[in-house]
Amino acid sequence: MSHKRVAILISGGGSNMVSLVDSMTGDHPARACLVLSNDPNAGGLKKAAERGIPTAAVDHRPFKGDRAAFEAELLKPLEAAQPDIVCLAGFMRVLTGDFVSRFQGRMLNIHPSLLPKYRGLNTHARAIDAGDAEHGCSVHEVTAALDDGPILGQARANIEPGDTSEALAARVLVWEHRLYPAVLRRYASGDRTPVLLP
Ligand code: GAR
């Protein structure tokens, strides 16, 4: 059996990336082919290298907001890795429609909210401030619009009285680490039925 090739894009610690890489063993239909970061100092790069996954970094800062030029550089290692699926996992750069369209139908993202609620940043604080009873995370197919696109899975977590955004973020992250591997496994086998947890 030939495995689907999965490239994972990160910006930071890469805990979701680790959960994806560690899930791709045995009869899993996919394997990681590249971990790519916009930050050469991202902690996740070392974790990927320790797991024997090829890594690359393209620092976005010298491009000073020229997204097209940054993405042209990002595409080089990404295309060279010949991914079948691209997973954004804590990748904190907004991608242009041009970039996204190259990977249409094969790029996934994890976002820390129950989409369509709370696109963008500071999702945990916004859910608490709104008085929501529950929060969670979503995996969706990436389209040109930010944090949009068909939902492939969601996991829910209750918001407790007195919750801080940090405590809530930590609880949601535990669910992220369960949800993303479950969605990727299903997606890589050609099944787009949403995964709903718990
Ligand atoms: C995760 O909570 C992920 O959902 C979030 O960043 C964190 C990355 O953590 N992503 C976004 O906010 C995307 N807009 P990690 O590097 O440990 O996986």
Side-chain angles (χ1 to χ4, degrees):
M1 180 184 93
S2 87
H3 291 114
K4 293 271 166 56
R5 298 170 62 80
V6 178
I8 305 171
L9 272 60
I10 64 168
S11 296
S15 70
N16 275 291
M17 174 278 295
V18 166
S19 75
L20 292 175
V21 166
D22 289 353
S23 74
M24 286 185 268
T25 61
D27 67 355
H28 196 293
R31 292 292 184 273
C33 64
L34 176 70
V35 171
L36 176 59
S37 179
N38 63 296
D39 179 355
N41 297 315
L45 290 172
K46 184 164 172 284
K47 294 174 197 163
E50 283 167 1
R51 286 166 169 76
I53 312 301
T55 64
V58 177
D59 192 341
H60 68 277
R61 286 167 297 190
F63 296 95
K64 296 188 196 306
D66 184 347
R67 284 186 201 280
F70 165 63
E71 289 177 354
E73 286 306 305
L74 199 63
L75 269 178
K76 291 177 185 172
L78 190 52
E79 299 273 18
Q82 299 189 294
D84 299 299
I85 298 170
V86 177
C87 289
L88 307 182
F91 185 71
M92 302 306 280
R93 306 306 299 169
V94 173
L95 296 166
T96 67
D98 272 357
F99 188 94
V100 168
S101 67
R102 286 174 181 267
F103 300 100
Q104 193 81 51
R106 56 194 179 106
M107 187 186 279
L108 311 184
N109 180 43
I110 187 153
H111 182 74
S113 78
L114 295 173
L115 290 172
K117 286 186 134 180
Y118 311 124
R119 297 185 169 101
L121 299 176
N122 304 317
T123 56
H124 310 292
R126 287 158 67 201
I128 291 170
D129 291 350
D132 291 359
E134 62 172 11
H135 184 48
C137 50
S138 306
V139 176
H140 64 96
E141 225 173 88
V142 177
T143 58
L146 183 70
D147 299 328
D148 203 4
I151 289 178
L152 298 168
Q154 288 189 317
R156 316 181 95 81
N158 290 329
I159 298 182
E160 308 292 349
D163 242 343
T164 61
S165 62
E166 292 77 14
L168 182 56
R171 259 188 355 266
V172 169
L173 191 61
V174 173
W175 283 109
E176 293 185 40
H177 297 161
R178 295 173 185 152
L179 180 67
Y180 211 172
V183 170
L184 178 61
R185 178 183 270 268
R186 194 175 274 194
Y187 192 81
S189 74
D191 181 355
R192 294 175 186 208
T193 316
V195 174
L196 300 176
L197 300 177

